[in-house]
Amino acid sequence: MTIAIIGGTGLTAIDRLTITHSEALETPYGTPSSAYVFGELDGKQLVFLARHGNPHRLPPHKINYRANIWGLKQLGVTEIIAVAAVGGITAAMGPAVIAIPDQLIDYSYGREHTFFADDLEHVTHIDFSYPYHQGLRQRILQAAQAINLDVVPTGTYACTQGPRLETAAEIRRLAQDGCDLVGMTGMPEAALARELEIPYANISVVANWGAGIESEEITMAEIEANLKTGMHNAINLLAQSIQLA
Ligand code: HPA
């Protein structure tokens, strides 16, 4: 088993990772966001990829999601845990909360979103009823219990296009649609992993309340401060999830 972590905003590198080596890959779909970093977290091996590059330079709509996921497949990765900074929409999703979403709605557009684009003789429709791998989600939830970390065990993740944050009305619409969390990078990443049959789950770390919920304005300073606490917990959760694998 080879586990990969994809780190998002606030998780460009894992400080506690003992790095053994890194590998820069090319794929038929182009260049991944950064080199794949191999290392050990509490004695367990993993591969780490910085979704926005290292240093953080790629906005959500410029990420080459296909290259990132293809590269992981090339490396023989058998499981992906994706970490993402999000805005909170429903009451349980306050700043610094960690949630393990079980559903998503994709509002992004214009992204290269499938590996099944060019072979027109063979049209493939993956099943995506449950976008996150249930067994992997359960393991993450068990890990949270084992380290006494409070997490919200379900939720619907909305993927917006960005890079701007939403309007207050957009957040009201997302709430009406049944969304609990909003981020910009969850798709097409989850679907591409499914296309390549790699079990994939998401750990969402709430950085701020969605637009219009609490404050007049969302600042980057607020986002960064909440992510500090949230990502510290997320790394502990990752480490324990890998221990249980
Ligand atoms: N909206 C979308 N993506 C985000 C947010 C948000 O409020 N906060 C962090 N990522």
Side-chain angles (χ1 to χ4, degrees):
M1 169 169 298
T2 308
I3 300 180
I5 308 298
I6 302 180
T9 299
L11 192 65
T12 297
I14 301 177
D15 292 344
R16 276 169 54 194
L17 189 70
T18 308
I19 297 173
T20 52
H21 63 288
S22 64
E23 212 171 311
L25 287 184
E26 277 304 315
T27 78
Y29 299 95
T31 312
S33 296
S34 59
Y36 296 89
V37 177
F38 292 75
E40 281 187 8
L41 186 59
D42 296 349
K44 297 277 185 180
Q45 291 194 335
L46 62 80
V47 183
F48 179 83
L49 177 69
R51 184 189 283 118
H52 296 275
N54 186 7
H56 188 299
R57 66 192 159 82
L58 294 165
H61 63 293
K62 294 282 191 190
I63 292 167
N64 190 337
Y65 296 94
R66 293 199 299 182
N68 287 352
I69 300 296
W70 192 270
L72 291 173
K73 188 75 179 180
Q74 257 176 267
L75 292 169
V77 160
T78 52
E79 248 177 25
I80 299 171
I81 303 178
V83 182
V86 298
I89 299 175
T90 45
M93 304 297 188
V97 162
I98 291 184
I100 315 301
D102 61 334
Q103 276 298 332
L104 65 80
I105 300 180
D106 187 10
Y107 300 89
S108 70
Y109 48 86
R111 302 180 180 188
E112 293 288 359
H113 65 285
T114 179
F115 294 113
F116 301 140
D118 301 322
D119 179 2
L120 298 180
E121 282 181 18
H122 184 78
V123 177
T124 305
H125 301 286
I126 54 161
D127 172 69
F128 206 45
S129 310
Y130 298 94
Y132 302 107
H133 188 270
Q134 299 291 9
L136 184 51
R137 287 187 61 260
Q138 289 310 319
R139 176 141 44 82
I140 295 168
L141 293 173
Q142 278 167 13
Q145 245 182 359
I147 60 169
N148 263 319
L149 178 69
D150 267 340
V151 300
V152 181
T154 56
T156 297
Y157 172 107
C159 184
T160 57
Q161 176 70 355
R164 67 168 176 82
L165 294 165
E166 296 71 37
T167 65
E170 285 169 337
I171 292 293
R172 285 198 298 273
R173 178 178 75 140
L174 294 178
Q176 278 169 8
D177 281 358
C179 300
D180 299 292
L181 304 159
V182 56
M184 301 173 188
T185 57
M187 283 292 284
E189 196 173 85
L192 293 167
R194 179 64 56 85
E195 285 188 351
L196 298 187
E197 300 180 341
I198 309 174
Y200 176 100
N202 170 286
I203 296 178
S204 282
V205 181
V206 180
N208 54 279
W209 282 113
I213 294 179
E214 278 234 318
S215 56
E216 286 298 301
E217 195 186 326
I218 299 166
T219 63
M220 283 309 290
E222 170 194 356
I223 289 181
E224 279 160 19
N226 290 322
L227 283 182
K228 231 180 211 164
T229 316
M231 286 302 168
H232 175 79
N233 291 333
I235 291 169
N236 289 336
L237 180 56
L238 282 171
Q240 185 63 24
S241 302
I242 295 169
Q243 289 295 327
L244 296 182

